[in-house]
Amino acid sequence: MLKGIAQHHGGGCMMIVKTGEKGVEFIGSGFLCHSKGYIITCAHTINLTDKLAVIPPQPLNEFNQLTLERVNFFDVTVAQFDPESDVALLKLTHPQPVSVPPNLIGDESSVQVGASVGYLGFPFGQAGLHTLKVSQSIISSKVKSTNGTKQFQLDAMVHEGNSGGPLIDIASGQIIGIISGRFSPTGSGGHIKIGNHALGTESTISYATSINYARALMESEGLNV
Amino acid sequence: MSDLLFEHQELFDAVNDLVPAYQKNKIIEFIKLDTDDETEYDQIGLSLTGEKRETGLIVPTSAPKSSGGSIWSAIKAEIYDYMCTSSRKYSKERKEAGITIKQIITIIATAIASSFHIAVGVVTGAVTVALLSFFKIGKNAWCKINTPE
């Protein structure tokens, strides 16, 4: 079943990068959600002053380089942005013909605790790991964040770079969430760091924002979901 | 410019027409607070632009952020240019009789959107809040507080 998820959704997953004088800098993951060239990601990956672009994944079923030596990126603009719910909708500046599976976007109401899920993304893309990672987990709980945003709790350790990737219900094959964060037993501040890695923030409890917030952005953009 | 009158209903109408549905309630509730404390405007503005975020015990799993620019500062700088200077950029708009708050929000948001890589609707909420702070605090005080260093 996970193989089907990977084959079905792998091609639509993107690396989100910012571009500028310093070159291309990885900031997170995202996924195609509409044939008009729209991509969903997390709002927290984005600084609105940055020039953003996306990099498509390497061929899914081939042996790929860990680190891309050359990148072909496609410029995007921020079309909708909801930092409160931590969702953003990006649009390809020059949309290419893209194919998006029908009924791609699911609904939070159908998700039950204990359901098997898969999630895709580019963990440690900032450290030069540019290969798509397919992972699996279960919905371990349905929770609300401190500001009331509905989230799915996962029995998994999501890594830095995974944010913005799709959470997929294995039974239906639909995207039900957007990977957003990980529980940190030590909170979010005052860590000892090695390089850019904060110690004491690891746990096997992670979170994905409900896809319904992304639906709202797509509807606000006038897209049929 | 100083002839511009601030009316709550006009602002509510502008929010209903210009701000995306998912941000409307937050901004309308803030307008109803009727505060004249500049720091409160900054707090809500920074949250609307994603520059201030409460994460609690959840760490975001994006790549660690390198320091970057501030869209909230850019919005306030644009309003300063329009409202507090006689720059050529907005000379035509300033002379326009009967200009509405809704039109000013659109003008500022369009200027910001064209300077960065974002749609106009992405910043209309934050522009509304920044403009509200101008009217509530008053032109002289707002311009003095927001004079570029």
Side-chain angles (χ1 to χ4, degrees), chain A residues 18 25-27 44-47 49 51 77-84 86 159-163 180-184 188, chain B residues 20 22-23 26 47-50 53 55-66 68-71 116-119 122:
Chain A
K18 64 178 182 181
E25 185 181 335
F26 174 90
I27 56 174
H44 78 252
T45 61
I46 293 171
N47 180 327
T49 62
K51 190 170 189 287
T77 56
V78 181
Q80 301 282 338
F81 186 71
D82 181 7
E84 184 101 348
D86 197 12
H159 293 291
E160 281 69 14
N162 258 127
S163 272
S180 60
R182 183 181 66 236
F183 179 77
S184 164
S188 57
Chain B
Y22 50 86
Q23 282 187 341
K26 182 171 184 167
S47 71
L48 287 167
T49 57
R53 188 166 174 264
T55 57
L57 291 171
I58 299 175
V59 289
T61 44
S62 56
K65 272 189 179 172
S66 52
S70 165
I71 200 87
F116 298 98
H117 306 275
I118 55 181
V122 168

Side-chain angles (χ1 to χ4, degrees), chain B residues 81-99:
Chain B
D81 189 16
Y82 188 117
M83 298 293 204
C84 307
T85 76
S86 52
S87 67
R88 283 183 62 189
K89 184 175 181 181
Y90 292 114
S91 58
K92 187 181 160 194
E93 287 84 354
R94 287 190 202 99
K95 287 174 190 164
E96 202 171 310
I99 194 160

Side-chain angles (χ1 to χ4, degrees), chain A residues 12 22-24 27 39 63 73 94-96 98 106-107 124 134 174 179 191 195 204 211 223:
Chain A
K22 293 179 182 174
V24 175
I27 56 174
I39 294 142
F63 292 96
F73 61 81
H94 305 290
Q96 312 285 318
V98 290
D107 189 283
F124 302 118
V134 183
Q174 290 185 307
I179 298 295
H191 311 290
T204 54
I211 197 65
L223 302 174

Side-chain angles (χ1 to χ4, degrees), chain B residues 91-107:
Chain B
S91 58
K92 187 181 160 194
E93 287 84 354
R94 287 190 202 99
K95 287 174 190 164
E96 202 171 310
I99 194 160
T100 64
I101 289 176
K102 183 177 166 182
Q103 287 170 314
I104 299 175
I105 293 169
T106 305
I107 290 165

Side-chain angles (χ1 to χ4, degrees), chain B residues 11 14-15 18-19 27 31 105 123-133:
Chain B
L11 203 61
V15 170
L18 301 175
V19 174
I27 292 170
I31 294 170
I105 293 169
V123 287
T124 47
V127 169
T128 303
V129 169
L131 204 54
L132 178 62
S133 75

